[in-house]
């Protein structure tokens, strides 16, 4: 937002000057310019400030997408504040704006990486408080990124550089977080209480799924059990009440359905009248027609189309849905959620196929025309294999000779430079644009990217470091790359707040401040000097 930093600085400067005048000599040591600078570097004072700001961003982005599907949004999952910080710093560096780039908080990664129990599967066994704690941590790191960058700009301004416009039009690193609340961690009251903590930490968008809380499974695992619509609606209501209580009128609810891969339900809802939601849900339950004298003791029976039927019940007490009913259940789930307060949808799918996603979303749009999807570009999918299979079928249908390919072994590296590979990779490249245009996908996210990148980078580093390359593996593969690519944390002391802290010490203690920076600070070794050619290029001397 233009001129926000300037107005913050000016108003803060005036306020502190007035306070100095009010309190007289006891405030002699307080420098209004320094105080105003610190106020400007910390624009968001509370998590609720962040939630209000980011909810407005999401609402604007949703409206922009409704007007033009090319305005889709994206995010990457982050399991630590530092990871989120470095992502947003990199977004600003490479793309010059954070517009339409969000963060995703994955319950899977909280369970796997943030629980005091140690690594856990994605089954809602981790501490529920770990979720709002991570949200708060992420925004602490993003606010620090703001403070560090603005502090650098103020220092350059003091040295006479013309950076006032950059300060006045500073773009914050604070962006929306879509936060995973799993299945709500209990009943609707538990969902409400946890939602409040998440919003107070800064979350503007809460994603909740229609699984049974105490039987929750990862969306890409088997054994998922869904709840009747009435139960899910109660939790949607709980989230909305939490938003309203805390003054976040634009809060976003993302309603996720796992019905595509869920074949079980724990409860049989009570129908009040023919055709109501409970009746529609019960119609999906697998049942066998029986005569009354065939009923066993303690059987549960239903009347369906004038006939007596017995729902298929498993030894664990769960009921089975009819085979092939999953897509119809997904569509009903989505329509019902949107008609009962949800803002966005999330459909878990077995493969990333635009046509299959569009088939479901378009059915929803027949009832709710502006239905929009948040879609998980999941690492649980083998993207290479899935898209090579899709292209194989397309090429076969086009009459191509496919005898050079083994349909059952398309991951083989020998296909990496073939026409099939090139076409498959192009489809992967355009998947998000295609999905936004054809399947109503407003937001594309990858749930677990940093889980995998951490593992991959440690694999590569340890291979060389503990091998013949020794220290060269780190220098060549990490540090030199950081320097060449201008990665912010190559000066890790600065990124941890050392320079910022030095300036604060000077504000507080003046010339007596003991600073960490100076000639003997080894971070000075990472100052990159411009070459003569680079300087000439800036001046337009070199073409």
């Amino acid at each position: 937002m233009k001129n926000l930093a300037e107005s913050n600085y000016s108003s803060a400067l005036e306020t502190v000057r007035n306070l100095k005048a009010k309190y007289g000599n006891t405030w002699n040591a307080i420098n209004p310019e320094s105080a105003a600078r610190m106020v400007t570097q910390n624009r968001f004072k509370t998590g609720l400030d962040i939630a209000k700001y980011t909810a407005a961003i999401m609402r604007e982005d949703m409206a922009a997408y409704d007007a033009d599907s090319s305005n889709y949004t994206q995010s990457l999952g982050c399991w630590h504040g530092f990871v989120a910080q470095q992502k947003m710093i990199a977004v600003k560096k490479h793309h010059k704006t954070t517009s339409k780039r969000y963060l995703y908080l994955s319950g899977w990664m909280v369970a796997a990486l943030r629980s005091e129990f140690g690594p856990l599967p994605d089954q809602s066994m981790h501490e529920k408080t770990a979720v709002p704690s991570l949200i708060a941590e992420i925004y602490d790191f993003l606010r620090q990124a703001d403070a560090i960058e603005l502090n650098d700009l103020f220092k350059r301004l003091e040295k006479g550089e013309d950076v006032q416009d950059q300060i006045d039009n500073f773009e914050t690193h604070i962006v929306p977080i879509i936060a995973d609340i799993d299945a709500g961690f209990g009943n609707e009251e538990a969902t409400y209480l946890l939602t409040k903590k998440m919003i107070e930490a800064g979350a503007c968008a809460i994603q909740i799924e229609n699984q049974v809380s105490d039987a929750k499974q990862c969306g890409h695992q088997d054994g998922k059990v869904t709840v009747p619509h009435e139960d899910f609606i109660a939790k949607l209501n709980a989230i909305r009440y939490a938003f309203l209580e805390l003054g976040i009128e634009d809060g976003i609810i993302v309603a996720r359905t796992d019905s595509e891969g869920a074949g079980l339900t724990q409860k049989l809802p009570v129908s009040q009248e023919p055709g109501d939601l409970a009746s529609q849900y019960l119609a999906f339950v697998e049942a066998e027609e029986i005569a009354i004298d065939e009923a066993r003791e303690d059987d549960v029976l239903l009347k369906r189309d004038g006939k007596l039927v017995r729902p298929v019940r498993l030894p664990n007490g769960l009921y089975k849905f009819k085979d092939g009913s999953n897509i119809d259940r997904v569509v009903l789930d989505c329509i019902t959620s949107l008609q009962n307060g949800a803002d966005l949808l999330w459909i878990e799918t077995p493969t990333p196929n635009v046509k299959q996603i569009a088939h479901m979303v378009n059915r929803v749009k027949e009832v709710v025309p502006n239905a929009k999807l948040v879609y998980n570009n999941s690492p649980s999918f083998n993207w290479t294999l899935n898209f090579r299979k899709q292209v194989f079928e397309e090429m076969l249908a086009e009459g191509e000779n496919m005898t050079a390919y083994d349909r059952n072994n398309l991951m083989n590296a020998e296909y990496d430079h073939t026409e099939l590979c090139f076409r498959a990779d192009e489809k992967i490249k355009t998947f998000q644009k295609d999905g936004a245009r054809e399947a109503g996908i407003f937001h594309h996210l990858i749930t677990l990217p940093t889980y995998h990148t951490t593992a991959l980078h440690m694999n590569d580093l340890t291979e060389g470091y503990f091998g013949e390359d020794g220290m060269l593996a780190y220098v060549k593969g990490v540090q030199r790359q950081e320097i060449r690519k201008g990665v912010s944390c190559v000066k890790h002391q600065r990124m941890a707040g050392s320079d910022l802290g030095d300036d604060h010490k000077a504000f507080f203690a003046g010339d007596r401040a003991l600073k960490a920076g100076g000639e003997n600070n080894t971070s000075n070794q990472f100052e990159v000097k411009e070459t003569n050619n680079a300087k000439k290029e800036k001046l337009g001397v070199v073409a």
Side-chain angles (χ1 to χ4, degrees):
M1 190 177 294
K2 285 187 178 295
N3 299 321
L4 189 63
E6 182 181 34
S7 62
N8 274 2
Y9 181 83
S10 300
S11 60
L13 185 61
E14 182 180 359
T15 298
V16 179
R17 282 174 174 168
N18 291 337
L19 287 169
K20 276 199 74 169
K22 177 181 177 181
Y23 290 105
N25 293 338
T26 61
W27 279 45
N28 277 351
I30 301 300
N31 182 304
E33 286 76 13
S34 298
R37 178 167 145 183
M38 293 178 73
V39 169
T40 305
Q41 290 169 192
N42 184 21
R43 172 181 170 186
F44 301 96
K45 313 308 180 193
T46 70
L48 290 179
D49 292 338
I50 291 171
K52 288 178 183 178
Y53 170 76
T54 54
I57 289 174
M58 280 196 70
R59 291 290 179 179
E60 290 175 5
D61 288 346
M62 289 161 66
Y65 175 81
D66 286 339
D68 181 353
S69 64
S70 67
N71 291 315
Y72 63 91
T73 57
Q74 300 166 291
S75 66
L76 294 172
C78 298
W79 55 271
H80 193 280
F82 176 71
V83 176
Q85 179 196 67
Q86 292 304 302
K87 173 197 161 183
M88 296 319 302
I89 288 173
V91 164
K92 287 188 69 174
K93 181 177 76 172
H94 293 297
H95 304 287
K96 310 308 178 189
T97 179
T98 62
S99 176
K100 297 180 174 56
R101 280 95 177 186
Y102 303 169
L103 293 166
Y104 180 67
L105 188 152
S106 162
W108 193 103
M109 284 210 284
V110 172
L113 299 170
R114 303 286 303 209
S115 174
E116 293 183 10
F117 293 109
L120 296 172
D122 183 21
Q123 296 173 358
S124 288
M125 295 189 289
H126 56 279
E127 308 86 346
K128 63 177 70 176
T129 53
V131 181
S133 293
L134 178 54
I135 296 169
E137 176 184 289
I138 287 173
Y139 282 127
D140 281 345
F141 273 83
L142 295 182
R143 283 188 283 203
Q144 187 196 46
D146 279 0
I148 289 172
E149 186 176 341
L150 278 165
N151 191 59
D152 288 348
L153 287 170
F154 277 116
K155 289 169 70 173
R156 290 168 59 191
L157 187 67
E158 288 175 352
K159 293 176 180 177
E161 289 189 52
D162 184 13
V163 294
Q164 187 64 56
D165 186 64
Q166 293 180 55
I167 294 173
D168 294 345
N169 297 291
F170 179 78
E171 184 179 40
T172 177
H173 295 83
I174 299 292
V175 296
I177 288 178
I178 298 177
D180 185 1
I181 199 172
D182 282 15
F185 284 91
N187 61 25
E188 52 268 33
E189 173 70 1
T191 301
Y192 154 77
L193 293 171
L194 178 55
T195 299
K196 284 212 303 180
K197 290 295 183 185
M198 294 168 70
I199 297 168
E200 288 168 344
C204 71
I206 307 295
Q207 170 224 324
I208 186 166
E209 61 205 49
N210 67 338
Q211 291 191 48
V212 176
S213 284
D214 60 359
K216 182 258 189 298
Q217 298 276 20
C218 172
H220 293 277
Q221 292 179 329
D222 203 357
K224 293 184 289 295
V225 185
T226 62
V227 298
H229 297 99
E230 295 86 348
D231 292 19
F232 192 58
I233 290 170
K235 292 190 175 183
L236 297 180
N237 292 339
I239 295 171
R240 183 61 67 201
Y241 273 107
F243 272 127
L244 292 173
E245 178 182 338
L246 295 174
I248 312 301
E249 298 175 2
D250 290 337
I252 313 295
I253 300 176
V254 182
R256 170 175 142 181
T257 173
D258 283 277
S259 289
E260 199 286 335
L264 303 169
T265 185
Q266 190 178 55
K267 293 169 64 175
L268 298 179
V270 178
S271 175
Q272 303 296 329
E273 57 184 60
D276 63 10
L277 271 178
S279 177
Q280 294 177 68
Y281 192 81
L282 289 168
F284 291 124
V285 175
E286 181 71 37
E288 53 186 354
E289 183 180 348
I290 65 167
I292 189 63
D293 58 358
E294 296 176 307
R296 298 186 290 265
E297 288 295 316
D298 301 319
D299 254 351
V300 174
L301 305 177
L302 296 173
K303 182 180 178 182
R304 182 179 288 173
D305 299 326
K307 300 174 182 176
L308 195 63
V309 298
R310 177 168 53 207
V312 174
R313 197 175 192 185
L314 305 181
N316 56 18
L318 299 174
Y319 295 93
K320 184 178 180 297
F321 286 118
K322 295 176 184 177
D323 291 339
S325 67
N326 56 335
I327 303 303
D328 290 336
R329 284 186 280 123
V330 165
V331 173
L332 181 61
D333 292 344
C334 291
I335 292 170
T336 302
S337 293
L338 291 175
Q339 290 177 336
N340 288 275
D343 301 290
L344 295 168
L345 302 170
W346 174 313
I347 300 174
E348 282 289 347
T349 66
T351 60
N353 187 302
V354 171
K355 291 181 180 178
Q356 291 175 1
I357 302 165
H359 172 69
M360 292 182 280
V361 174
N362 288 337
R363 287 181 58 187
V364 176
K365 283 187 171 185
E366 291 174 5
V367 181
V368 186
N370 69 337
K372 290 179 284 297
L373 202 63
V374 171
Y375 187 72
N376 178 8
N377 292 217
S378 176
S380 293
F381 302 140
N382 184 330
W383 286 77
T384 301
L385 183 59
N386 270 291
F387 279 84
R388 286 184 182 183
K389 283 181 176 179
Q390 291 179 37
V391 169
F392 183 95
E393 297 303 325
E394 290 176 4
M395 293 174 70
L396 198 64
E398 292 166 4
E400 295 276 350
N401 182 354
M402 304 302 289
T403 55
Y405 302 100
D406 179 357
R407 188 200 296 252
N408 297 316
N409 191 26
L410 293 178
M411 270 299 295
N412 195 314
E414 70 181 58
Y415 300 141
D416 285 357
H417 301 288
T418 63
E419 176 65 17
L420 181 140
C421 168
F422 296 144
R423 286 180 56 170
D425 282 357
E426 184 61 25
K427 286 175 75 74
I428 294 171
K429 180 180 177 180
T430 63
F431 173 80
Q432 295 190 340
K433 291 181 180 178
D434 296 340
R437 183 182 63 253
E438 299 173 22
I441 300 177
F442 158 73
H443 186 76
H444 283 279
L445 62 90
I446 306 177
T447 44
L448 320 175
T450 51
Y451 181 89
H452 291 278
T453 54
T454 301
L456 176 62
H457 292 163
M458 289 312 300
N459 173 79
D460 294 348
L461 175 59
T462 55
E463 180 183 16
Y465 179 73
F466 293 105
E468 292 184 1
D469 284 349
M471 192 57 195
L472 181 61
Y474 174 79
V475 172
K476 194 174 180 180
V478 180
Q479 190 179 80
R480 194 176 296 165
Q481 295 301 314
E482 290 178 306
I483 295 169
R484 298 285 186 259
K485 296 177 180 179
V487 175
S488 60
C489 69
V490 69
K491 293 184 179 181
H492 49 260
Q493 308 285 13
R494 170 187 171 275
M495 202 66 251
S498 182
D499 292 357
L500 181 65
D502 273 359
D503 284 348
H504 289 172
K505 291 174 188 175
F507 297 165
F508 309 151
D511 293 338
R512 297 182 303 280
L514 183 64
K515 298 183 180 181
E519 291 184 6
N520 294 326
N521 190 315
T522 58
S523 289
N524 296 331
Q525 299 174 31
F526 297 100
E527 294 292 343
V528 178
K529 296 180 175 61
E530 285 188 324
T531 64
N532 288 331
N533 280 341
K535 291 177 181 177
K536 290 177 180 177
E537 286 179 8
K538 278 188 176 181
L539 296 171
V541 177
V542 179

